[in-house]
Amino acid sequence: MEQKSAIVIGAGIVGLATARALSLKGFSVKVFERSEQSVGASVRNFGMIWPIGQPTGALYQRAMRSRQIWKDIAIEAGFWYEHSGSLHVAYSKEEWQVLQELETEFRKDYREVTLLPADKIAADYEHVNTQDLLGGLFSAEELLIDPREAIAALPGYLQEKYQVSFYWNKCVTYIADQTVYIGNEEEHEADIIFVCSGADFETLYPEEFQRLPLTKCKLQMMRTGPLSQNNRIKTAICGGLSLLHYNSFKAAPSLAALQQKMMEERKEYLDHGIHVMAAQNGKKRNHHWRFS
């Protein structure tokens, strides 16, 4: 039987994941990327593999599967990862109530979560501000990678393991009849074509994107200078605003009370979808602070 062929447009994380999935299904895969490397959102995030943010059911199970895939590939491809877990800290009675309820709800789904009192957090996580700290919820399931390192390593890994072919500095400008066109220079055919062009809504199928209720947004991040090898925050740390950001936290019955409190005290943050998280890349690397 002749091997089926596939073309993936875009070498960001969605394109790379699509190329891997197609290869596992037996396709011969070509990936076309308009830049010399991935330069979009895939390398601007800070690499939190985040099962705790997904609600119970299919999305949570998918997140856990994704975490395992990331871990397996990191080991095979040789890029850094850390099974860091995550810590949500509470500085108000409303936040602390939500975390206590989440611990109960998450344990029903056999999630690896533990409530930590303030003194335990102070002893184990020296970088956490202990003023007015009431406690926190630790989840053992989260994983950290360095996105710039990982995204740079994945094409070589996919090429070597699955024989995926990569074409850099090739901007696909038109698609018709299972054929992609690169300006007036090249054309390539495939049985199936996937457009994974990230935030580029203008080049391919702009009329289709215009019909969708999409809004481009920015992920704002700060990055510290290098820290000493022993200066580790040990986990990903999240504040109370993050409890209003992820759908999984809606499992807490008292979340509405926290929402009301934040509306009164931090309305401008909620209006702009702002919450604060901190993560750290590999040893001798930098902190990432996320404002999104």
Side-chain angles (χ1 to χ4, degrees):
M1 181 184 297
E2 184 178 354
Q3 186 179 23
K4 290 186 176 182
S5 60
I7 287 175
V8 176
I9 301 169
I13 186 54
V14 175
L16 295 173
T18 301
R20 175 185 177 274
L22 288 164
S23 298
L24 289 173
K25 292 183 177 294
F27 283 83
S28 171
V29 182
K30 295 179 180 179
V31 178
F32 291 86
E33 168 57 46
R34 68 190 304 169
S35 304
E36 63 182 11
Q37 61 185 10
S38 180
V39 295
S42 298
V43 296
R44 297 178 189 179
N45 210 316
F46 61 165
M48 297 174 80
I49 314 302
W50 205 241
I52 194 170
Q54 297 301 328
T56 296
L59 291 178
Y60 170 67
Q61 296 302 324
R62 190 176 301 164
M64 292 297 288
R65 182 186 174 200
S66 177
R67 184 197 71 170
Q68 188 60 50
I69 291 172
W70 271 111
K71 183 176 179 179
D72 292 343
I73 293 178
I75 293 170
E76 290 184 38
F79 58 82
W80 175 85
Y81 78 94
E82 182 175 72
H83 201 151
S84 64
S86 64
L87 177 65
H88 285 76
V89 288
Y91 293 92
S92 71
K93 67 181 189 321
E94 289 85 359
E95 293 169 354
W96 185 228
Q97 180 64 31
V98 166
L99 293 183
Q100 292 177 81
E101 293 169 357
L102 289 175
E103 192 253 0
T104 299
E105 293 299 320
F106 285 165
R107 283 187 174 274
K108 294 177 183 177
D109 200 34
Y110 303 100
R111 302 196 192 199
E112 298 179 65
V113 294
T114 306
L115 280 174
L116 300 179
D119 58 349
K120 175 66 173 172
I121 295 174
D124 292 348
Y125 303 99
E126 61 178 307
H127 293 284
V128 173
N129 180 9
T130 57
Q131 183 175 350
D132 300 321
L133 179 66
L134 299 179
L137 180 69
F138 178 77
S139 167
E141 296 177 342
E142 284 62 56
L143 202 72
L144 292 177
I145 61 165
D146 183 329
R148 289 185 287 186
E149 179 187 11
I151 297 300
L154 282 172
Y157 165 80
L158 293 173
Q159 186 170 356
E160 180 178 351
K161 182 163 185 176
Y162 300 111
Q163 291 73 57
V164 176
S165 298
F166 285 84
Y167 298 79
W168 305 98
N169 293 309
K170 298 291 186 179
C171 181
V172 174
T173 55
Y174 186 67
I175 304 171
D177 300 326
Q178 273 81 50
T179 302
V180 301
Y181 295 86
I182 300 171
N184 296 319
E185 303 172 1
E186 300 178 37
E187 56 185 71
H188 299 263
E189 295 183 359
D191 295 303
I192 188 169
I193 299 169
F194 286 82
V195 178
C196 305
S197 52
D200 178 8
F201 300 158
E202 294 80 28
T203 305
L204 299 172
Y205 301 107
E207 67 284 352
E208 297 297 330
F209 284 113
Q210 287 176 2
R211 296 189 185 105
L212 299 173
L214 299 174
T215 301
K216 287 188 178 182
C217 62
K218 292 183 178 180
L219 180 65
Q220 305 290 344
M221 297 177 57
M222 294 194 302
R223 187 177 176 95
T224 73
L227 303 177
S228 66
Q229 182 170 343
N230 295 323
N231 198 347
R232 303 290 296 166
I233 66 174
K234 300 180 182 178
T235 188
I237 302 173
C238 308
L241 284 164
S242 296
L243 296 173
L244 303 176
H245 190 76
Y246 294 99
N247 286 334
S248 61
F249 301 140
K250 293 179 181 178
S254 66
L255 191 66
L258 177 59
Q259 175 89 25
Q260 181 61 37
K261 176 182 175 63
M262 292 299 185
M263 282 294 294
E264 295 171 357
E265 299 178 358
R266 296 285 187 270
K267 184 178 184 302
E268 69 278 15
Y269 287 53
L270 298 185
D271 289 343
H272 293 91
I274 294 172
H275 66 123
V276 182
M277 311 171 79
Q280 189 174 21
N281 291 148
K283 293 180 179 179
K284 299 183 180 179
R285 303 186 190 186
N286 304 9
H287 289 309
H288 277 111
W289 306 89
R290 170 176 172 178
F291 303 82
S292 66

